[in-house]
């Protein structure tokens, strides 16, 4: 019996086994309702039957064996919708692929007593079935992954947005407590700590929101106005000083520092670099930020002296969710106020302005982050 004919004739039996296997994936908790476990399973098998019965040239077979690019996957196919619903129903990706593995094994096991072993027709049927099954699995995985990513990043965006109000309240409370006429010296010290913590957490929330934006496929929007880079650097230095009051910061500015910039974004960029420098600095030396204007560009460098960043860390330093790794023991016990997003966001803001961000680290010069920006943004550069 042809495999396509067998699947059509025994569809219900195959689906019963699919249903039973799916229930085993929820051994530790109540299984979802019957209609959720079996959603689109029949349509997936019917689509596989159609695929097996459709004439296929050698060239088409070769092309199918290479798989489909994500952008070519039909989001309306039964397999694609199945992947979306499985993600929404709480299945893991491992469980989803296990379903397909079990479905493949079930169909072939039930068909074997009805097939003509060793015939060209049965070999072709098996090959076409495996091709179609792999294609359906790929479609389900693509839509599952897309929806899982969207859910995660939307959650991060909402979380970051909702955290801003209580952080603003903390900032106001800290500012109130440090007033000379309020409370005692201990009260003022506690107010300063509250203000610093609120500043650090606000910076982390900003990074989280920008990261969520980039992961959702959006670019960082810019509002360009005539600005002076020295003023932007000074504002960033003031932010960093609030978060690290015991760290000495120094600003040097020279040359033509005027241009069309998004001052809020650049302030966030340089605040991230200064906060990072303060966290990993040598306590005996200041963190410096230097802005130099040239005819066609402005170069801003943030420098700190401290443990040298190893070459492997430098290669991944701008990747999201990566925290700096320094020489063993030199920063043991040092507090971390980073999500591993600050340098990633700094690079994204630099690129949105059509600039470039690089880093070097050695014993003599320290760790130097260099931002080179045009006086007016050009098209963003491709990511390295």
């Amino acid at each position: 019996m042809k495999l396509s004919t067998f699947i059509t004739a025994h569809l219900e039996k195959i689906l019963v086994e699919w249903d039973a296997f799916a229930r085993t994936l929820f051994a530790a908790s109540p299984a979802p309702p019957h209609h959720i476990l079996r959603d689109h399973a029949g349509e997936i098998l019917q689509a596989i039957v159609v695929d097996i019965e459709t004439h296929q040239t050698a060239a088409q077979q070769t092309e199918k064996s290479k798989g489909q690019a994500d952008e070519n996957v039909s989001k309306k196919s039964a397999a694609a919708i199945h992947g979306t619903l499985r993600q929404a129903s709480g299945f893991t990706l491992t469980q989803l692929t296990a379903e397909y593995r079990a479905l493949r094994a079930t169909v072939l096991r039930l068909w074997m007593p009805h097939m003509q072993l060793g015939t060209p027709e049965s070999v072709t049927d098996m090959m076409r079935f495996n091709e179609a099954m792999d294609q359906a699995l790929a479609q389900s995985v693509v839509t599952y992954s897309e929806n899982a990513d969207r859910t995660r990043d939307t959650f991060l965006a909402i979380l970051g947005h909702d955290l801003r109000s209580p952080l603003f309240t903390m900032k106001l409370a800290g500012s109130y407590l440090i007033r000379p006429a309020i409370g005692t010296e201990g009260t003022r010290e506690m107010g300063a700590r509250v203000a610093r913590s609120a500043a650090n957490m606000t910076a982390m929330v900003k990074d989280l929101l920008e990261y969520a934006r980039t992961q959702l496929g959006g670019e960082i929007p810019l509002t360009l106005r005539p600005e002076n880079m020295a003023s932007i650097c000074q504002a960033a230095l003031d932010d960093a000083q609030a978060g690290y009051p015991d760290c000495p910061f120094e600003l040097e500015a020279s040359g033509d520092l005027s241009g069309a910039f998004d001052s809020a974004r650049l302030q966030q960029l340089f605040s991230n670099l200064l906060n990072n420098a303060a966290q990993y600095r040598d306590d005996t030396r200041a963190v410096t930020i230097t802005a130099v204007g040239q005819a066609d560009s402005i170069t801003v460098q943030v420098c700190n002296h401290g443990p040298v960043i190893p070459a492997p860390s430098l290669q991944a330093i701008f990747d999201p969710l990566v925290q700096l790794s320094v020489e063993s023991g030199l920063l043991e016990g040092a507090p971390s106020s980073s999500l591993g997003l600050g340098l990633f966001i700094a690079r994204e803001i630099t690129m949105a302005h059509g600039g470039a961000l690089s880093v070097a680290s050695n014993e003599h010069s320290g760790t130097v982050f260099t931002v080179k920006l045009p006086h007016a943004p050009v098209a963003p550069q491709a990511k390295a």
Side-chain angles (χ1 to χ4, degrees), residues 184-204:
T184 64
E185 182 63 28
T187 303
R188 288 188 285 275
E189 289 181 2
M190 180 58 68
R193 292 179 62 183
V194 170
R196 288 196 299 271
S197 296
N200 287 335
M201 292 177 67
T202 298
M204 293 167 70

Side-chain angles (χ1 to χ4, degrees), residues 280 306-310 313 324-332 361-363:
Y280 293 96
V308 173
I309 302 175
S313 295
L324 289 179
S325 174
V326 296
E327 294 176 2
S328 176
L330 290 179
L331 287 183
E332 192 171 317
S361 185
N362 57 60
E363 289 282 357

Side-chain angles (χ1 to χ4, degrees), residues 300-358:
V300 179
Q301 292 187 315
V302 174
C303 174
N304 73 284
H305 291 270
V308 173
I309 302 175
S313 295
L314 285 177
Q315 294 174 3
I317 203 169
F318 298 114
D319 293 343
L321 304 179
V322 171
Q323 291 183 315
L324 289 179
S325 174
V326 296
E327 294 176 2
S328 176
L330 290 179
L331 287 183
E332 192 171 317
S336 174
S337 60
S338 171
L339 290 173
L341 293 176
L343 296 180
F344 169 76
I345 300 303
R347 184 187 66 175
E348 294 295 308
I349 294 174
T350 302
M351 293 173 61
H353 279 81
L357 173 59
S358 60

Side-chain angles (χ1 to χ4, degrees), residues 115-128:
M115 68 182 291
Q116 295 179 342
L117 295 173
T119 64
E121 184 181 61
S122 64
V123 172
T124 300
D125 276 358
M126 189 175 298
M127 180 182 67
R128 293 293 301 274

